[in-house]
C-alpha cells in the first residue's frame, strides 16, 4: 500500500502560498426557497446523484437541482478535481491519498474518505502532487 500525505497544505495556506480561489468567486444555489451564494474557497466537495448535486462546505450541506457535470464546468480545474463519476473535491481540503493496487482513497479534512475511480487514479495523483508542491 502506498500513501501520499499533504501535511504542508496548512502551512502553505497560512503563508498564502497555495493556489486559492479569488475571494469573490462563488456559485449560486437555490436552497430553501431562496438563492444562496457559496464562496468557492468554502466548498469541500460535491457529490452528484442523478440530476441533483450535494454541495458540502466546512459547516453545511446544500442540495442543488443541477448535475455534477454542470458544476464541473463552473468550477474549473485550478482548485477542483473530479475523482469519481459522482465526486468532485476541492484540492485544498485533501489531506492524503491511499493507493492499493489500482484503487485509491482520498482522505479529506473532517475525516471523510472518498473512493477514486481506477480510470482517474493516475490523473488524480499527478494533479494532487502538482497542486500541493507548487
Amino acid at each position: 500500500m502506498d500513501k501520499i500525505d499533504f501535511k504542508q497544505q496548512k502551512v502553505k495556506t497560512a503563508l498564502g502560498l497555495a493556489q486559492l480561489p479569488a475571494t469573490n468567486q462563488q456559485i449560486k444555489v437555490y436552497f430553501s426557497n431562496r438563492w444562496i451564494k457559496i464562496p468557492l474557497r468554502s466548498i469541500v466537495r460535491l457529490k452528484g446523484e442523478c440530476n441533483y448535486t450535494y454541495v458540502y462546505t466546512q459547516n453545511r450541506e446544500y442540495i442543488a437541482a443541477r448535475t455534477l457535470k454542470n458544476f464541473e464546468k463552473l468550477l474549473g480545474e485550478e482548485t477542483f478535481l473530479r475523482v469519481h463519476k459522482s465526486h468532485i473535491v476541492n484540492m485544498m481540503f485533501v489531506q492524503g491519498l491511499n493507493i492499493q493496487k489500482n484503487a485509491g482513497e482520498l482522505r479529506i479534512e473532517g475525516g471523510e474518505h472518498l473512493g477514486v475511480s481506477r480510470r482517474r487514479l493516475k490523473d488524480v495523483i499527478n494533479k494532487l502532487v502538482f497542486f500541493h508542491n507548487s
Side-chain angles (χ1 to χ4, degrees):
M1 174 162 93
D2 291 325
K3 196 178 206 178
I4 302 171
D5 285 314
F6 302 109
K7 299 285 184 189
Q8 293 181 351
Q9 167 191 356
K10 297 257 187 222
V11 176
K12 284 184 178 182
T13 303
L15 296 175
L17 299 174
Q19 300 168 336
L20 291 173
T23 54
N24 61 348
Q25 289 182 323
Q26 56 194 3
I27 58 170
K28 287 183 181 179
V29 176
Y30 193 75
F31 182 76
S32 211
N33 296 324
R34 61 188 170 117
W35 286 98
I36 297 172
K37 295 177 184 177
I38 305 171
L40 293 186
R41 65 179 346 145
S42 69
I43 297 173
V44 176
R45 68 184 180 98
L46 296 98
K47 177 183 175 187
E49 286 186 13
C50 294
N51 291 327
Y52 293 92
T53 300
Y54 293 89
V55 179
Y56 296 91
T57 62
Q58 291 171 306
N59 51 12
R60 194 140 184 206
E61 173 188 326
Y62 302 93
I63 186 168
R66 282 194 229 163
T67 63
L68 193 61
K69 187 171 190 156
N70 184 274
F71 277 106
E72 186 177 21
K73 290 176 187 174
L74 286 174
L75 298 171
E77 295 182 4
E78 296 82 32
T79 308
F80 291 89
L81 176 63
R82 184 107 182 221
V83 297
H84 190 272
K85 70 178 183 177
S86 59
H87 294 287
I88 295 175
V89 297
N90 184 338
M91 290 186 273
M92 288 302 305
F93 293 99
V94 175
Q95 291 182 327
L97 175 64
N98 297 328
I99 306 163
Q100 289 184 333
K101 297 184 183 176
N102 276 341
E105 183 180 76
L106 285 178
R107 289 189 324 274
I108 297 181
E109 223 172 85
E112 291 194 64
H113 295 263
L114 296 177
V116 177
S117 71
R118 287 179 291 164
R119 186 172 66 87
R120 298 178 191 265
L121 184 60
K122 190 173 183 178
D123 191 42
V124 168
I125 292 168
N126 291 335
K127 286 186 178 180
L128 284 171
V129 168
F130 178 79
F131 180 84
H132 287 283
N133 289 329
S134 59

